[in-house]
Amino acid sequence: MNEIFIALIGLLSGLIGAFIGARTANQKNYSQTVSMHRLDWMDNLYDDIGVMLGAIEVLRNANTEEEKNKYNYKYNKARALVLSKLNRKEDKHQIMFMLIVKLDNFKDSYSDKEYFAVKESILESMSQVGKEVWETVKQETKLVGGKTSV
C-alpha cells in the first residue's frame, strides 16, 4: 500500500513537472515568435522607407514624364506600405506619419534645404522607432527567462 502511495506521488510530481515545463516552453516559444515578428516588421519598415526616400529623390530630379510617373508610383506604393505599418496611437509613429505627409510637399519642390531637413527628420524618427522596438524585444525575451539573443 505504501509503495502505491509513493508511486502515485511520483506520478503526480512528474505530471506537474511536465505541465510546468510545457507551459514555460510555450511561453518562451510565443515570446520568441512575437519578437521575431517585431524584428521582421522593423526590417520591412526600414526597407519600405528606403524605397520611399530613394524614389522621391529620383522623382525630384526626373527629366521625362515617363520617369516621373514611374518613380511617383514607386514613391506612393512605398509610402502606402510605410503608413500602413505605423500605429498612429503611438507618439513616435505619429511623428513619423506627419513627417511623411510633409515629405509629399517636396515631390515637385526645389527647396533642397527644407527637403533634406524633412528627410533627415524621417531617418531620425525611424531610428527612434527602431530603438523602441529593439528595447521591447529585449524585454520580452527577458520576461520569459531567456537571454537576449535575438
Side-chain angles (χ1 to χ4, degrees):
M1 181 79 166
N2 202 13
E3 290 129 5
I4 293 176
F5 183 70
I6 292 172
L8 285 175
I9 290 176
L11 177 65
L12 186 58
S13 297
L15 289 174
I16 291 172
F19 175 75
I20 291 172
R23 185 175 171 135
T24 302
N26 284 340
Q27 287 175 337
K28 188 172 185 176
N29 287 340
Y30 174 78
S31 176
Q32 288 173 340
T33 300
V34 169
S35 294
M36 291 309 297
H37 283 290
R38 282 187 200 280
L39 293 175
D40 287 345
W41 171 85
M42 195 72 229
D43 286 343
N44 289 331
L45 188 58
Y46 277 130
D47 289 345
D48 294 337
I49 286 177
V51 170
M52 183 184 75
L53 293 177
I56 197 170
E57 190 71 33
V58 174
L59 177 61
R60 286 172 44 86
N61 298 303
N63 294 321
T64 66
E65 198 61 35
E66 181 182 346
E67 195 176 26
K68 286 181 183 180
N69 289 337
K70 178 181 176 181
Y71 285 95
N72 191 47
Y73 173 79
K74 284 186 176 195
Y75 171 79
N76 287 327
K77 181 179 177 183
R79 179 188 183 275
L81 289 170
V82 169
L83 295 180
S84 71
K85 291 175 183 158
L86 296 177
N87 179 357
R88 293 192 216 158
K89 293 179 182 177
E90 294 186 29
D91 291 340
K92 291 177 182 170
H93 292 237
Q94 183 66 28
I95 290 168
M96 188 178 301
F97 174 82
M98 291 185 310
L99 288 167
I100 291 169
V101 169
K102 193 172 182 180
L103 185 68
D104 291 342
N105 297 327
F106 297 104
K107 282 198 231 180
D108 299 316
S109 172
Y110 295 99
S111 174
D112 284 341
K113 185 177 181 181
E114 290 179 65
Y115 164 71
F116 286 115
V118 170
K119 188 175 169 181
E120 286 302 313
S121 294
I122 289 172
L123 294 172
E124 177 60 31
S125 180
M126 186 64 221
S127 176
Q128 294 299 316
V129 170
K131 287 177 186 175
E132 191 175 79
V133 169
W134 180 245
E135 288 302 318
T136 301
V137 167
K138 287 194 315 187
Q139 290 302 316
E140 286 172 346
T141 55
K142 286 179 184 176
L143 285 175
V144 198
K147 294 181 181 176
T148 309
S149 60
V150 178

